[in-house]
């Protein structure tokens, strides 16, 4: 893993020490002696992670972190505060400012590198989601609603607490009152099944499960599709450095040490729940972007772009398997009159209903697309021309048999459709010649009276 890490500290010896450790792991290192310089670097240069001191001239590290997290351009950059301050209230303040972790000097190098690599893996995943959902716009302007800020949660996060002791369960529940809706379990097997059945936003695992290694449960949760991206916060014993490193390496999002400060647990839990919600919004945005690229929003059918992308693949598969493949093109007869007479709202409703009837007529394996306007294409794998003609005639009958309801309550419209049908010729055809021949058959059906099915064969 390689990345660009910014070290922000006003003491050159501290900068040099961190720089040496990072360079040994093949990270690219940038340095800044104060907060304003750090903000300027982040504004002008791609930075993947920031190691931030608190006590510096000018603005302190807390204010630097607040400004980074308030800026849409830099809010996604992980921040680890590395400082000589060691009071619980300082750690909580840093987490409330939006820091991802708070490490006290002198820093344990194994823990530092494990935390750096863990946060960078998470950032790489988030960056990919941001890039895809934003159509390549990595600054992600226009999606402010996914921004993570250091304010409170709008509603409690659904949380699974896995803890072997009832007294500690009660303490955690009290600590997270108001920000978490907690379901507590004591058994690791019950926890595994419960986590898979419910969409939790955070899983807290205490290192006190009887006769069971909690890291084994963490590994099982990370291996399961339904919980792969659910944040995990593990409660470990102070001094168990090796377990901390292993937990971070396997994908545990955060840890807190016993005896824990309730305020710190509160702050870390808020961070993880908000990050989960941010990631979910990114995934939802990505899903919508993909749908917009391949689905016609009016009818819900695939669009022409999708047909163009997959038609050649379906034809090549038919060639390999030596199975027939056919196509039909259909459109609504005299559709322009619908728009001209009844308005475009009526025309849109007719198109939606036509698409519903088309979808109910063809088979699940057939690729039905809105080709443009009132024209639709169906590509039918494993279908002879004779079978395609039967499907086309069934569609024609379904359209003619029942009127199309209008949104303004007028009498239903009696409409018909014309259909052109053809089958792929493996010796002479291409996808474009197949499409053109089907279109010619449609033209013949319309020019010879409409409301009919016409087929054409390859010459």
């Amino acid at each position: 893993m390689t990345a660009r890490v910014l070290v922000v500290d006003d003491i050159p010896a501290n900068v040099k020490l961190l720089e040496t450790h990072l360079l040994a792991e093949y990270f690219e290192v940038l340095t800044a002696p104060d907060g304003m310089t750090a903000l300027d670097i982040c504004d002008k240069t791609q930075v993947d992670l920031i190691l931030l001191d608190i006590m510096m001239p000018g603005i302190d590290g807390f204010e630097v972190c607040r400004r980074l997290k308030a800026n849409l351009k830099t809010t996604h950059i992980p921040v680890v505060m590395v400082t000589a301050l060691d009071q619980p209230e300082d750690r909580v303040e840093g987490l409330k400012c939006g820091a991802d972790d708070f490490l006290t000097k002198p820093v344990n190098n194994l823990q530092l590198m494990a935390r750096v690599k863990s946060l960078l893996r998470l950032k790489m995943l988030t960056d990919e989601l941001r890039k895809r959902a934003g159509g390549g716009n990595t600054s992600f302007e226009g999606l402010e609603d996914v921004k993570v800020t250091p304010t409170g949660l709008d509603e409690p996060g659904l949380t699974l607490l896995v803890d072997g002791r009832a007294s500690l369960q009660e303490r955690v529940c009290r600590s997270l009152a108001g920000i978490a809706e907690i379901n507590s379990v004591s058994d690791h097997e019950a926890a595994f099944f419960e986590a898979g059945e419910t969409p939790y936003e955070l899983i807290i695992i205490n290192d006190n499960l009887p006769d069971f290694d909690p890291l084994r449960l963490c590994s099982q949760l990370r291996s399961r599709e339904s919980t792969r991206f659910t944040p995990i916060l593990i409660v470990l014993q102070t001094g168990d450095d090796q377990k901390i490193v292993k937990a971070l390496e396997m994908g545990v999002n955060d840890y807190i040490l016993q005896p824990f400060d309730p305020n710190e647990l509160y702050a870390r839990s808020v961070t993880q729940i908000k990050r989960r919600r941010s990631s979910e919004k990114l995934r939802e945005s990505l899903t919508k972007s993909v749908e917009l690229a391949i689905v016609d929003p009016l009818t819900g059918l695939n669009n022409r772009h999708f047909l163009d992308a997959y038609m050649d693949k379906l034809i090549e598969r038919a060639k390999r398997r030596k199975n027939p493949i056919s196509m039909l093109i259909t459109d609504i007869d005299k559709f322009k009159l619908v728009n001209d007479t009844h308005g475009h709202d009526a025309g849109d409703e007719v198109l939606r209903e036509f698409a519903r009837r088309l979808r109910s007529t063809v088979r699940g394996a057939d690729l039905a697309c809105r080709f443009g306007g009132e024209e639709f294409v169906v590509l039918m794998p494993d279908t002879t021309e004779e079978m395609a003609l039967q499907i086309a005639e069934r569609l024609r009958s379904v359209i003619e048999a029942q009127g199309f309801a209008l949104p303004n309550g007028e009498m239903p419209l009696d409409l018909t459709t014309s259909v052109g049908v053809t089958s792929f010729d493996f010796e002479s055809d291409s996808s474009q010649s197949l499409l053109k021949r089907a279109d010619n058959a449609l033209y013949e059906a319309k020019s010879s009276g409409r409301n009919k099915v016409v087929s054409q064969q390859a010459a």
Side-chain angles (χ1 to χ4, degrees):
M1 178 187 297
T2 182
R4 183 177 293 160
V5 179
L6 173 61
V7 178
V8 188
D9 199 312
D10 61 322
I11 299 177
N14 292 340
V15 173
K16 189 64 178 178
L17 180 62
L18 290 173
E19 186 178 24
T20 299
H21 291 320
L22 292 165
L23 290 173
E25 297 289 336
Y26 300 99
F27 292 115
E28 181 181 347
V29 181
L30 303 176
T31 63
D34 56 70
M36 293 306 297
T37 303
L39 291 172
D40 185 60
I41 290 173
C42 291
D43 184 62
K44 297 177 180 178
T45 309
Q46 176 193 334
V47 174
D48 297 305
L49 183 138
I50 302 170
L51 299 180
L52 178 64
D53 189 25
I54 293 179
M55 306 302 295
M56 296 183 294
I59 60 174
D60 63 19
F62 293 138
E63 180 60 23
V64 172
C65 191
R66 289 190 193 97
R67 295 190 186 187
L68 288 168
K69 296 303 177 180
N71 185 346
L72 187 62
K73 187 176 181 180
T74 56
T75 187
H76 63 288
I77 302 175
V79 176
V80 178
M81 289 188 166
V82 183
T83 177
L85 299 177
D86 60 358
Q87 296 302 305
E89 56 266 27
D90 296 319
R91 181 180 291 106
V92 172
E93 180 63 23
L95 295 170
K96 286 183 177 179
C97 290
D100 295 87
D101 207 347
F102 190 104
L103 301 178
T104 303
K105 300 174 183 176
V107 177
N108 180 302
N109 187 50
L110 283 176
Q111 285 188 32
L112 174 64
M113 288 302 119
R115 170 53 85 190
V116 166
K117 292 174 182 178
S118 173
L119 288 171
L120 286 172
R121 283 194 298 269
L122 178 63
K123 181 179 182 293
M124 289 171 63
L125 175 63
T126 304
D127 282 351
E128 183 64 21
L129 286 173
R130 292 168 66 243
K131 183 177 180 180
R132 292 183 181 181
N137 178 14
T138 54
S139 68
F140 218 56
E141 296 176 4
L143 286 174
E144 290 86 351
D145 60 328
V146 302
K147 182 172 144 183
V148 177
T149 63
T151 57
L153 297 172
D154 293 336
E155 58 183 29
L158 190 57
T159 302
L160 176 63
L161 172 61
V162 188
D163 197 316
R165 294 171 58 184
S167 60
L168 289 178
Q169 289 181 11
E170 293 177 3
R171 187 183 179 204
V172 171
C173 291
R174 288 196 304 269
S175 301
L176 302 184
I179 64 143
E181 179 184 337
I182 299 178
N183 182 20
S184 302
V185 295
S186 303
D187 178 73
H188 63 91
E189 291 184 353
F192 178 74
F193 288 108
E194 174 63 26
E197 294 295 325
T198 307
Y200 287 102
E201 296 179 283
L202 175 64
I203 300 174
I204 301 174
I205 302 175
N206 203 332
D207 184 18
N208 63 4
L209 302 179
D211 301 319
F212 189 77
D213 183 354
L215 294 188
R216 181 69 59 189
L217 177 58
C218 295
S219 174
Q220 292 170 346
L221 293 171
R222 280 292 170 260
S223 301
R224 191 175 189 174
E225 184 66 29
S226 60
T227 55
R228 182 161 297 162
F229 300 110
T230 305
I232 299 175
L233 190 158
I234 191 167
V235 183
L236 296 171
Q237 298 300 316
T238 299
D240 200 345
D241 296 340
Q242 290 298 324
K243 188 167 284 189
I244 292 172
V245 172
K246 286 182 180 179
L248 293 172
E249 286 178 346
M250 72 171 53
V252 170
N253 300 78
D254 204 355
Y255 66 91
I256 190 170
L257 300 177
Q258 288 275 26
F260 64 81
D261 179 347
N263 293 316
E264 182 181 351
L265 177 63
Y266 182 101
R268 291 186 184 276
S269 299
V270 167
T271 297
Q272 294 305 323
I273 293 170
K274 289 166 70 174
R275 184 176 290 153
R276 167 69 171 185
R277 292 177 180 177
S278 177
S279 297
E280 286 303 302
K281 287 182 179 179
L282 285 169
R283 288 189 176 90
E284 289 172 7
S285 179
L286 174 58
T287 300
K288 290 178 182 177
S289 297
V290 171
E291 287 179 352
L292 287 174
I294 65 173
V295 175
D296 172 53
L298 179 64
T299 64
L301 297 176
N302 290 118
N303 58 19
R304 181 169 181 171
H305 175 76
F306 187 84
L307 176 68
D308 290 341
Y310 282 89
M311 183 162 53
D312 284 335
K313 295 179 181 178
L314 290 175
I315 290 174
E316 284 302 316
R317 187 177 69 179
K319 285 182 178 179
R320 289 196 307 271
R321 298 178 178 179
K322 298 181 179 179
N323 291 336
I325 184 168
S326 298
M327 174 183 284
L328 69 79
I329 298 183
T330 179
D331 78 359
I332 304 170
D333 294 331
K334 299 182 180 180
F335 178 74
K336 186 175 183 299
L337 287 176
V338 177
N339 283 331
D340 292 346
T341 305
H342 302 277
H344 288 278
D345 286 346
D348 288 348
E349 182 55 38
V350 166
L351 288 170
R352 281 191 285 264
E353 176 60 23
F354 187 92
R356 283 193 287 268
R357 297 187 193 183
L358 174 64
R359 192 184 291 111
S360 68
T361 302
V362 300
R363 304 160 305 179
D366 298 332
L367 175 58
C369 304
R370 184 183 179 193
F371 198 59
E374 70 274 22
E375 198 167 59
F376 298 81
V377 172
V378 182
L379 190 61
M380 298 171 283
D382 304 321
T383 305
T384 63
E385 185 170 341
E386 181 180 359
M387 294 167 60
L389 281 167
Q390 293 174 1
I391 295 171
E393 178 57 34
R394 185 164 66 243
L395 172 63
R396 189 203 63 77
S397 298
V398 165
I399 299 302
E400 182 184 37
Q402 184 177 354
F404 284 69
L406 298 180
N408 55 13
E410 295 181 39
M411 289 290 293
L413 289 178
D414 292 326
L415 298 173
T416 61
T417 186
S418 300
V419 189
V421 176
T422 191
S423 289
F424 190 82
D425 186 294
F426 293 112
E427 295 183 359
S428 61
D429 257 337
S430 65
S431 59
Q432 292 307 307
S433 64
L434 178 73
L435 190 61
K436 183 174 178 57
R437 193 165 61 251
D439 192 49
N440 289 339
L442 172 63
Y443 178 80
E444 183 180 341
K446 296 185 77 67
S447 62
S448 62
R450 299 187 178 90
N451 191 24
K452 61 174 59 177
V453 176
V454 171
S455 68
Q456 281 193 8
Q457 296 179 344

